[in-house]
Amino acid sequence: MKWQALVDNRQRFFWVLQIAGWLGYALVNYIGSKVFEMRDIYVFVIVLNAYAGCLLTVPIRYLYRRIWNAPPLILILVVFSASYFTGTLWAVIQKFNLWEIYRHGYRPTEWFYYFQQGLDSVYIVLCWSGLYFGVKYYQLLQSERQKALKANTMAHEAQLKMLRYQLNPHFLFNTLNAISTLILVEENKDANQMVARLSDFLRYTLNTDPIKKVPLEQELHALMLYLEIEKVRFDERLSIDVDVSSEAKQALVPSLILQPIIENSIKYAIAHLVEGGKLEIKAQVFANELLLEVGDNGPGAELKNGQLQNAQGVGIANTIDRLKTLYENNYSFVLSHNEPNGLKVNIRVPFEKAKK
């Protein structure tokens, strides 16, 4: 609905500018006719010329929309060709209106007289094209700015939600309790390692800019800190299998994009398995896209059209909102049943390689 409203607003904006622009053209010509003391009937010629210009420039608008993402050279060639053809045709119509209305059916002796002063019309259509692209680029910049602001806001909200839902007092209590247990049994070395992991993970979540994309390798390092902390709770009940290609490690991803999904798997899948469970994290690059997959062997969940049918989707909804804001429609998020059992999450986003 929001997207449709945006399209409707842009359509309305185009027609307002289109009509206002050609009315302005007609007004300038009318003032010029008064300066040169043209007869009153010339007003009809002006109106018809402006109306013809308004109609002829509508089709090239749709042409420009189709070639919007074309290479610059093709874009320039199409714009100049379309402007020349449209301007020449408009010049012929203007001559016809002038001779039929103002000169009462006058016919020139040679056909090429219809094309006289055709370059003036081409220049006007070329200016129309320039204004069209200028307004479109301005709208694009404004849209990108709004998306960046919205993404920044939602990312900060996502970070706060993560601190509220994922790094909740229960998680911190269990972590501190595990550290206390290690100290009581005089396993000080392990306790120090746990404190260091918790400290590093908290530092990462607080210091990482939520709007900034980070290399997947860095994201995996933070995930491992989180999972090492969780493994203290589950001991041997939690096994982790990571299969990430070297190219995928260099891909840029939104910071903390996988942590809520993995937390969901641990909370609603692994924690319910008496004999423990397994997490699988996979990533690869295919056809200039980054494919991410997180799967577990838990009891699974009820799905309908790829959506969870219970309240387990806090972290998942959070992740979808961020993906939608950052990538618009150029992403996919699919929930499916893992074979032989469990739940699997597949994410597809454009591949962006991190700069070294």
Side-chain angles (χ1 to χ4, degrees), residues 99-111:
W99 290 332
E100 280 294 315
I101 298 175
Y102 192 76
R103 297 190 179 181
H104 307 291
Y106 166 77
R107 293 290 186 276
T109 56
E110 299 292 341
W111 63 269

Side-chain angles (χ1 to χ4, degrees), residues 279-293:
L279 275 176
E280 293 181 336
I281 303 171
K282 299 179 182 179
Q284 62 175 320
V285 177
F286 180 76
N288 207 33
E289 291 182 330
L290 176 65
L291 308 177
L292 300 170
E293 181 180 304

Side-chain angles (χ1 to χ4, degrees), residues 19 22-31 33 40-55 90 93-94 97-98 101:
I19 294 173
W22 286 108
L23 285 176
Y25 168 83
L27 180 61
V28 170
N29 276 268
Y30 175 75
I31 295 173
S33 70
D40 291 339
I41 198 172
Y42 191 71
V43 174
F44 292 100
V45 176
I46 294 173
V47 172
L48 288 175
N49 289 344
Y51 182 69
C54 182
L55 291 182
W90 185 36
I93 295 173
Q94 290 182 84
N97 291 336
L98 177 66
I101 298 175

